[in-house]
Amino acid sequence: MAKTGTTTQGLRAAIERSGYYPALVAEAVEAAVGGEPVASYLVHQETTFDSNEVRRHVTVLVLTDTRFIVSHTDEQNADTSSPSPYATTSTESVKLDRISSVVVSRVVANPEKYVPGTLPREVVLTIGWGAVSRIDLEPAACGDPNCEADHGYTGNSTADDLSLRVSEAGDGPDTVRQTLAFAQALSEATAATAAAGR
């Protein structure tokens, strides 16, 4: 379930509607937001299957006038380190001028019949700010098939701090719409911040 909106009260209500440890999640998010007004938010709860266990987690994204805040809460079963089930909540606050990329990948069915404004079947929102990078390397080669020289390596470095996937089938059309709305608000905010910094 994902919810998006623009008020602090709406954010709290969306967290409560998610039903996923709302007091814990709300306290962490509200502490990170502080007194800043909320420009946009997205609350996304997801259930995953890990071996024989079902795990739930929630991600809350908040946009203020100056920051992007991401909060993630996971639940864990009792284990050797804890005799009872527990949850872990983390929040990160990122200044808007640090956002280096906002990538929106859309999956559409029957692209030859696509009508502008039709919701994608699936959306993946990837946001990068330099905290986590992925490097993909492979051996470099030249065009000579008989060459045995070592040409070193070639590769790509990709910012991949947060990736959130929603689908119409799994999350519903409102969630897809809300994810696109949050992505647009974040893109516009980072563009405005970049223009103001010039």
Side-chain angles (χ1 to χ4, degrees):
M1 171 190 296
K3 299 291 176 197
T4 189
T6 58
T7 68
T8 303
Q9 295 84 6
L11 171 59
R12 177 70 183 231
I15 291 170
E16 288 175 2
R17 276 192 307 273
S18 79
Y20 185 83
Y21 307 120
L24 173 66
V25 173
E27 181 179 55
V29 171
E30 289 169 0
V33 170
E36 279 193 90
V38 173
S40 185
Y41 62 83
L42 178 66
V43 178
H44 182 254
Q45 182 181 327
E46 187 175 16
T47 302
T48 57
F49 301 93
D50 182 17
S51 299
N52 295 331
E53 298 177 359
V54 176
R55 293 191 183 201
R56 298 179 307 152
H57 54 99
V58 67
T59 302
V60 180
L61 309 180
V62 180
L63 176 63
T64 72
D65 290 340
T66 61
R67 297 179 297 147
F68 165 69
I69 297 162
V70 59
S71 175
H72 190 80
T73 304
D74 282 302
E75 65 182 358
Q76 306 292 329
N77 292 324
D79 57 25
T80 57
S81 67
S82 175
S84 59
Y86 60 98
T88 304
T89 299
S90 63
T91 57
E92 184 172 0
S93 176
V94 182
K95 290 173 48 177
L96 287 178
D97 63 1
R98 287 196 46 219
I99 303 287
S100 57
S101 65
V102 178
V103 180
V104 180
S105 299
R106 302 165 190 240
V107 177
V108 296
N110 304 312
E112 71 281 358
K113 297 178 183 176
Y114 180 76
V115 175
T118 303
L119 282 179
R121 184 173 67 192
E122 179 180 311
V123 172
V124 179
L125 173 60
T126 304
I127 303 166
W129 57 91
V132 177
S133 292
R134 182 182 62 226
I135 299 177
D136 296 317
L137 294 175
E138 61 184 38
C142 68
D144 181 359
N146 297 319
C147 180
E148 295 180 9
D150 182 357
H151 295 286
Y153 289 87
T154 185
N156 296 312
S157 176
T158 308
D160 194 14
D161 296 302
L162 172 78
S163 191
L164 185 90
R165 178 189 169 271
V166 297
S167 69
E168 187 176 22
D171 302 293
D174 285 343
T175 300
V176 173
R177 192 175 294 108
Q178 293 161 354
T179 302
L180 291 170
F182 183 84
Q184 182 173 347
L186 182 60
S187 291
E188 290 171 356
T190 56
T193 299
R198 289 184 186 166

